Amino acid sequence: MMSLGDQSSIKNRCEGCNKFLLLHNKVMSCGICNRIVHAECAKYSFEYNHLDDSWHCWECADSNAKRYNPFSSLKHDQFDPTLMHESEDIIEISRILDSCQSLDSGEFKKYLKSNSVVKHSPSALFNNIDGNQSNFDYFVADLAQYSHSFSFIGLSETNTDPCNKDLFSIPGYNSTYNEKFPNKAKGTGTALYMQDCFTYKVLENVCQCSENLECLFVEITNMNSPLFIGVVYRPPNGSKTVAIAELNKKIQQLPSKRVIILGDFNDDLFKQDSHELETTMYSNNMIPLISLATHFKPGCNPSLIDNIFTNSTENLITAGVLASGVSHHHPIFCFLDDTIPNEKQKSSYEIPKYDYSETNIDKFYKDTEEVSHKTHVYCLQSFEKFIEEIKENIDKNFLPMTKSSRNQKETYFLTPGLHQE
């Protein structure tokens, strides 16, 4: 072993000032690459990462994806039996946060293929869509590349009233929309989509839409045990303190188990000033499942403002971030160890409600022309009759033929041109 008298310096140079690192010098080591510099030089080339209580050089800080896990550096006394239960809980939460992953469409499909159980388990997805009118169609198309129908889809910033929700439908899903904040055109509105096989009821007493907090909650009633799912959105221009207090009251109205909260909380867990949200959620046993960045805005550092919280981590299979999106927010997801109801599931995709093929549209135009020529007297009674005939033409031309109808018409596949021949 080398003594202080044998050598007066460590044979390394500080990468900050390029001077030798002496044994009596105060030094700083990068928690990732172990690069060593003088403590004084660290001021200009290192940064503190409060997420894991360590110092990183700027090069590693830039290249290493941030991960939220305030429990990773906590130590426990393995010989103190009074802390055993608390230690196990902390270890489990830390494991959940460390296992959160970011997946592109190829990686996601590969994961589904290698995990047959996951494929048939309930799943939830959330995305801040930043306006249905501009992004909804792109959102549905983007989601299709993952080749998976999520059981529940939560959206925020829909900018859509409940009366217009049918303009934004997803085949195979039912939806419920919360009210928008009055006189606000953008940055408001929450929605939940549930696959047809699920029955649900809206929990009106837990829903709200204020200038500080918007939330929408439903109870899924036809699973092995009721499941409670909510979407939360905190407008950034409202009071964060008031919003968190309101959210705390809502959570306390919900059961102590089987609750999932999806949302954009506009509170970056990568930053130290998020302690108010953390304290509220952890004190209600609501554990975050997402630990990687979810919000990527040009000119800004990636942030973790979207998350999924649950008070039943024992039912979690996996959670993560999808590496694409239609807004600055990337979709986040989780899979649950539970059973999807079989009722309605087989029939939900058999026959679409309407078939808007080009041929059917042409027929509808032709029939509508005939109806319009019949109407000569312009009065309320004639107008109502006109509307009824239009409705009949819609059903006549766009409702798909039933199986029995197709059997009666053996040449239904022939085109009009072939029929004429």
Side-chain angles (χ1 to χ4, degrees):
M1 181 178 289
M2 186 184 303
S3 67
L4 291 175
D6 294 330
Q7 188 170 337
S8 61
S9 68
I10 302 172
K11 290 185 178 179
N12 279 327
R13 289 182 182 272
C14 169
E15 296 198 22
C17 64
N18 204 36
K19 293 179 180 179
F20 280 112
L21 295 165
L22 304 179
L23 288 174
H24 65 276
N25 290 156
K26 291 181 179 179
V27 297
M28 183 71 70
S29 172
C30 174
I32 298 174
C33 68
N34 297 318
R35 182 178 298 172
I36 301 174
V37 298
H38 290 113
E40 281 296 315
C41 298
K43 295 178 182 177
Y44 310 104
S45 57
F46 273 55
E47 66 178 47
Y48 176 67
N49 184 353
H50 76 281
L51 300 175
D52 59 8
D53 190 28
S54 64
W55 288 86
H56 297 163
C57 66
W58 285 353
E59 187 176 329
C60 289
D62 288 341
S63 61
N64 188 54
K66 283 186 178 180
R67 182 180 291 275
Y68 169 78
N69 188 348
F71 307 101
S72 62
S73 60
L74 294 182
K75 305 295 181 184
H76 65 278
D77 186 352
Q78 59 181 321
F79 301 107
D80 186 349
T82 62
L83 299 176
M84 188 71 71
H85 180 69
E86 289 83 351
S87 298
E88 289 175 354
D89 288 344
I90 289 172
I91 290 170
E92 176 61 13
I93 296 171
S94 182
R95 183 198 65 77
I96 288 171
L97 293 171
D98 282 340
S99 63
C100 174
Q101 51 194 328
S102 178
L103 302 174
D104 60 28
S105 60
E107 293 167 333
F108 184 83
K109 286 187 279 191
K110 186 177 179 181
Y111 175 78
L112 288 182
K113 191 175 181 181
S114 62
N115 293 270
S116 55
V117 176
V118 171
K119 225 185 296 187
H120 305 290
S121 299
S123 54
L125 177 134
F126 169 78
N127 194 206
N128 179 322
I129 197 169
D130 195 21
N132 274 1
Q133 190 168 354
S134 54
N135 289 327
F136 188 83
D137 289 342
Y138 295 109
F139 169 76
V140 174
D142 184 69
L143 211 54
Q145 68 175 308
Y146 291 92
S147 302
H148 178 73
S149 296
F150 288 91
S151 308
F152 313 105
I153 298 174
L155 300 176
S156 69
E157 288 200 64
T158 61
N159 304 331
T160 302
D161 282 311
C163 61
N164 294 318
K165 69 167 190 161
D166 291 338
L167 297 174
F168 305 98
S169 61
I170 303 177
Y173 287 81
N174 294 311
S175 67
T176 181
Y177 273 64
N178 203 13
E179 295 289 342
K180 290 191 330 180
F181 190 71
N183 302 318
K184 194 174 182 181
K186 292 187 67 178
T188 181
T190 53
L192 265 171
Y193 287 77
M194 285 72 56
Q195 280 187 316
D196 284 343
C197 59
F198 294 97
T199 57
Y200 69 94
K201 63 178 180 181
V202 178
L203 304 176
E204 300 288 353
N205 61 318
V206 198
C207 301
Q208 81 166 49
C209 181
S210 71
E211 60 182 340
N212 302 305
L213 184 72
E214 299 182 22
C215 52
L216 169 66
F217 282 87
V218 302
E219 177 186 353
I220 307 300
T221 57
N222 64 331
M223 298 182 71
N224 292 333
S225 297
L227 182 67
F228 299 82
I229 299 182
V231 178
V232 169
Y233 174 64
R234 185 184 78 79
N237 54 352
S239 168
K240 182 167 83 168
T241 300
V242 173
I244 292 175
E246 290 178 352
L247 178 59
N248 183 51
K249 289 179 182 177
K250 298 298 180 185
I251 294 174
Q252 291 178 1
Q253 292 178 258
L254 296 166
S256 59
K257 284 290 181 184
R258 295 183 63 79
V259 175
I260 297 172
I261 301 178
L262 319 163
D264 173 5
F265 299 85
N266 270 308
D267 206 347
D268 188 0
L269 292 183
F270 287 158
K271 295 182 178 179
Q272 295 187 43
D273 62 0
S274 63
H275 60 87
E276 201 175 352
L277 175 64
E278 290 177 289
T279 301
T280 298
M281 300 310 278
Y282 285 124
S283 65
N284 285 291
N285 195 33
M286 298 300 300
I287 309 303
L289 307 183
I290 306 300
S291 59
L292 300 174
T294 63
H295 184 248
F296 301 85
K297 190 174 182 179
C300 300
N301 291 326
S303 58
L304 174 52
I305 60 177
D306 310 279
N307 221 308
I308 301 173
F309 289 88
T310 183
N311 56 11
S312 290
T313 54
E314 67 275 7
N315 291 335
L316 177 70
I317 298 176
T318 191
V321 182
L322 298 182
S324 67
V326 297
S327 67
H328 294 142
H329 300 257
H330 284 199
I332 54 179
F333 69 90
C334 70
F335 284 89
L336 308 173
D337 185 9
D338 212 321
T339 305
I340 295 177
N342 289 322
E343 295 176 346
K344 303 182 186 178
Q345 197 172 16
K346 291 182 180 178
S347 62
S348 61
Y349 292 98
E350 283 181 4
I351 302 177
K353 191 171 182 182
Y354 290 102
D355 178 11
Y356 295 106
S357 65
E358 191 174 343
T359 303
N360 290 348
I361 290 173
D362 289 341
K363 288 178 181 177
F364 174 73
Y365 282 155
K366 186 177 178 182
D367 289 346
T368 304
E369 260 189 318
E370 292 176 3
V371 171
S372 63
H373 289 320
K374 289 180 189 175
T375 308
H376 299 292
V377 182
Y378 295 97
C379 62
L380 180 60
Q381 188 177 2
S382 296
F383 180 73
E384 288 175 349
K385 184 180 179 183
F386 173 76
I387 293 299
E388 285 302 316
E389 291 187 10
I390 290 295
K391 287 179 180 178
E392 289 174 7
N393 281 337
I394 289 173
D395 289 341
K396 172 187 170 184
N397 291 294
F398 297 127
L399 275 178
M401 287 186 295
T402 62
K403 189 174 181 181
S404 59
S405 300
R406 289 177 177 174
N407 289 340
Q408 292 170 9
K409 189 177 179 181
E410 296 179 357
T411 59
Y412 67 93
F413 56 89
L414 296 179
T415 64
L418 291 174
H419 274 301
Q420 289 174 5
E421 292 177 5

